Amino acid sequence: MKNALPLIIGLTLLAQAVVAAPISFDFKDSKGVNNIIFKLDAPLEAINGTTTDISGTVLFDPANPGAVTGKILVAAASLKVPNPVMKEHLDGKMWLEVAKYPEISFEAVSTSNVKTTANVTTADLTGNLTIKGVTKKIVVPIKLTYLKDKLKARSPTLNGDLLVLRSNFTIKRADFGINPGQGEEKVSSDIAL
């Protein structure tokens, strides 16, 4: 019994270390409810679009939520807009050139101004956004909600945790070579995401 006590303490510490490790969250969503919405609001037209073709992996540590890392990916051709002519332009060479640049990505680099209350963390997330082959370092506000043991509530056949990411920010289409300076009365130079 004397020799068993260090083993039990060692196993308890190992179990605690495993629990405290970052959790990997896969953002490929078979239900198709994960989404990104974009809006270009110009004087003559407002264009809204969306996609649910989101994938990627994010590492999140509930004990250290400011240490979030990972990469979110979007299939550029999956972006939907209201009509076929807009879609043709969006996918074409002057806009996203999806045949040459099939993926849009955001890779988390660091966080600042991290504040956590219960299971909700807000922060400024610095990351690399890549669109149409152009990568820019940007800072976006982010809200992370960690939902322990809630995967089953969303998908009854699965067990695990959920991580909800929310962010609203604006980019300039010219910064990414997306038809810069053209048609700004009809298509805003700002893209709200």
Side-chain angles (χ1 to χ4, degrees):
M1 183 68 176
K2 189 176 187 180
N3 291 333
L5 186 58
L7 177 62
I8 292 170
I9 292 171
L11 288 175
T12 302
L13 291 174
L14 177 62
Q16 288 175 346
V18 170
V19 171
I23 303 166
S24 179
F25 289 91
D26 183 350
F27 276 80
K28 186 68 178 167
D29 179 19
S30 60
K31 288 182 77 172
V33 293
N34 286 350
N35 66 79
I36 295 174
I37 299 167
F38 61 95
K39 182 174 185 173
L40 295 93
D41 193 7
L44 297 177
E45 294 182 11
I47 301 168
N48 296 295
T50 188
T51 184
T52 57
D53 194 347
I54 302 164
S55 62
T57 304
V58 172
L59 289 175
F60 178 79
D61 184 349
N64 185 11
V68 66
T69 61
K71 189 173 189 177
I72 300 290
L73 306 165
V74 173
S78 74
L79 298 176
K80 296 177 183 106
V81 288
N83 69 56
V85 173
M86 284 182 185
K87 177 65 174 162
E88 185 180 323
H89 289 167
L90 183 66
D91 290 351
K93 188 174 182 176
M94 295 301 293
W95 291 85
L96 293 179
E97 198 170 356
V98 300
K100 186 174 181 182
Y101 305 104
E103 207 167 67
I104 297 169
S105 67
F106 180 84
E107 186 166 10
V109 174
S110 64
T111 56
S112 59
N113 303 317
V114 178
K115 294 178 181 100
T116 301
T117 303
N119 64 331
V120 177
T121 299
T122 59
D124 293 326
L125 179 64
T126 300
N128 294 316
L129 178 63
T130 302
I131 303 173
K132 199 177 176 183
V134 177
T135 301
K136 296 281 184 185
K137 186 170 279 190
I138 64 171
V139 179
V140 300
I142 191 166
K143 178 181 174 185
L144 303 149
T145 305
Y146 173 63
L147 302 169
K148 182 152 181 62
D149 297 324
K150 289 295 184 179
L151 183 57
K152 191 172 202 76
R154 186 166 185 246
S155 299
T157 60
L158 300 173
N159 291 312
D161 304 339
L162 287 174
L163 181 65
V164 178
L165 301 173
R166 301 257 194 257
S167 185
N168 293 301
F169 59 96
T170 301
I171 60 171
K172 298 271 186 206
R173 63 181 167 99
D175 289 347
F176 296 91
I178 303 170
N179 207 13
Q182 300 298 311
E184 291 184 6
E185 284 189 340
K186 284 185 154 184
V187 184
S188 175
S189 61
D190 293 336
I191 304 171
L193 298 159

